[in-house]
């Protein structure tokens, strides 16, 4: 879905390089998976409940609250992938809150109460609960990082022009030597320029050609395997987290089938 959406955007003419398409494809795939979080949770939970003999329907309002809990989980996930390595802190918040959708759907809590309840369940169970989540988000991060690396950063202090090149205007006091390709500043510092640099003495500008775009096939092969693995493992992750939730409640609270049925049919005040 991410690749198809990125190709559609490229057809409009917004994207000019296949590397940009790969980046957009990775981002859209991550967004789609995050938005489908409540769907995956509901499906995994219903299958687990049927396996233990509970067929009572879940009140519709709880599904809407689960969507809100899914958005809570999307916040640290976004921080994680957009501000790595600083954003890695967001992973700890995700680990604390990963049972919040289950609490919302099954126990009827919402908002901060569901977040606190999730953290209570998680405390002391790091080794048992963190592995499936860390594995999945490592693959998320790998896919996005690979997509980002396809787009080389522009040269420092240069501006990308619409015509497809990088231009830098010399400041007052700067001098450029065409024979040595050295840029001298008024403060005595020097910069070495690449061989393909072009100098316009009249406009006092340095120009670099834009890098050649990466072939589309290379871009998709670079990002595709990691994304495919993430998509394939995501349903498994939800089943694992759901089983962990029930396991923690059974072991810590002695939850019975009758008590679970009462939680499901209880009206939300």
């Amino acid at each position: 879905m991410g690749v198809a959406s990125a190709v559609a955007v490229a057809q409009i003419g917004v994207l000019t390089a296949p590397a940009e398409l790969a980046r957009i494809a990775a981002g859209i795939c991550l967004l789609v998976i995050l938005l489908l979080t409540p769907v995956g949770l509901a499906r995994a939970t219903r299958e687990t409940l049927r396996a233990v003999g509970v067929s009572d329907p879940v009140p519709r309002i709880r599904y809407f609250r689960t969507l809100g809990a899914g958005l809570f989980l999307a916040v640290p996930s976004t921080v994680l992938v957009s501000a790595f390595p600083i954003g890695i802190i967001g992973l700890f918040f995700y680990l604390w809150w990963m049972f919040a959708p289950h609490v919302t759907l099954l126990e009827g809590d919402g908002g901060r109460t569901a977040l606190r309840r999730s953290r209570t369940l998680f405390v002391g169970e790091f080794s048992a609960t963190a592995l499936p989540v860390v594995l999945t988000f490592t693959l998320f991060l790998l896919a996005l990082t690979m997509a980002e690396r396809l787009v080389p950063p522009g040269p420092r202090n240069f501006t990308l022009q619409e015509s497809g090149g990088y231009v830098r205007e010399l400041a007052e006091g700067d001098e450029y030597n065409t024979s040595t390709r050295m840029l001298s500043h008024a403060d005595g510092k020097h910069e070495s320029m690449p061989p393909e640099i072009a100098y316009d003495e009249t406009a006092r500008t340095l120009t670099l050609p834009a890098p050649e775009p990466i072939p589309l096939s290379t871009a998709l092969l670079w990002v595709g395997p990691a994304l495919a693995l993430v998509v394939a493992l995501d349903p498994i992750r939800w089943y694992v987290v759901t089983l962990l939730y029930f396991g923690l409640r059974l072991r810590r609270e002695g939850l019975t089938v009758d008590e679970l049925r009462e939680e499901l049919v209880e009206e939300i005040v």
Side-chain angles (χ1 to χ4, degrees):
M1 185 177 292
V3 174
S5 301
V7 171
V9 174
Q11 295 301 318
I12 301 175
V14 179
L15 303 179
T16 58
E20 292 177 310
L21 187 150
R23 176 190 292 180
I24 296 298
I28 292 177
C29 280
L30 177 62
L31 178 62
V32 168
I33 291 175
L34 289 177
L35 293 178
L36 290 179
T37 287
V39 179
L41 163 68
R43 180 64 179 176
T45 302
R46 292 306 302 163
E47 292 296 330
T48 306
L49 292 177
R50 289 192 180 99
V52 297
V54 178
S55 58
D56 301 76
V58 178
R60 188 179 301 273
I61 189 174
R62 294 193 183 184
Y63 285 106
F64 293 107
R65 287 193 173 188
T66 303
L67 179 60
L71 293 178
F72 272 116
L73 294 179
V75 172
S77 305
T78 303
V79 174
L80 176 68
V81 300
S82 61
F84 182 81
I86 299 175
I88 197 69
I89 299 174
L91 180 59
F92 294 100
F93 290 99
Y94 185 90
L95 291 174
W96 287 346
W97 298 340
M98 67 179 174
F99 295 124
H102 300 78
V103 172
T104 302
L105 185 67
L106 298 177
E107 301 179 40
D109 293 328
R112 294 182 179 180
T113 303
L115 297 179
R116 287 195 297 267
R117 170 69 168 151
S118 175
R119 183 177 178 183
T120 300
L121 288 170
F122 175 78
V123 171
E125 302 290 342
F126 180 84
S127 60
T129 57
L131 181 59
V133 179
V134 172
L135 175 61
T136 305
F137 273 84
T138 299
L139 295 172
F140 277 146
L141 193 59
L142 174 64
L144 291 180
T145 302
M146 293 172 70
E148 289 286 338
R149 294 295 178 87
L150 283 172
V151 184
R156 185 180 178 184
N157 297 324
F158 280 75
T159 303
L160 180 63
Q161 303 296 303
E162 293 183 0
S163 58
Y166 294 98
V167 176
R168 175 177 177 177
E169 295 184 0
L170 299 188
E172 185 177 355
D174 290 350
E175 295 294 336
Y176 179 71
N177 189 319
T178 55
S179 59
T180 61
R181 300 194 309 276
M182 294 295 295
L183 177 62
S184 303
H185 301 282
D187 58 4
K189 295 182 179 179
H190 304 278
E191 290 184 59
S192 177
M193 295 295 158
E196 61 272 18
I197 196 80
Y199 176 55
D200 188 333
E201 186 174 358
T202 303
R204 286 180 55 79
T205 57
L206 298 174
T207 304
L208 279 172
E212 290 293 329
I214 296 174
L216 176 60
S217 57
T218 302
L220 295 182
L221 285 174
W222 188 258
V223 183
L227 285 177
L229 192 56
V230 167
V231 173
L233 288 179
D234 201 58
I236 300 175
R237 176 175 68 92
W238 271 114
Y239 273 105
V240 170
V241 173
T242 300
L243 291 174
L244 287 172
Y245 168 79
F246 282 109
L248 290 174
R249 296 202 62 193
L250 287 170
R251 180 157 47 86
R252 286 186 169 186
E253 303 171 357
L255 179 68
T256 65
V257 174
D258 291 334
E259 291 171 339
L260 178 59
R261 182 174 288 109
E262 290 179 4
E263 286 184 347
L264 287 176
V265 299
E266 182 181 359
E267 293 293 333
I268 298 177
V269 180

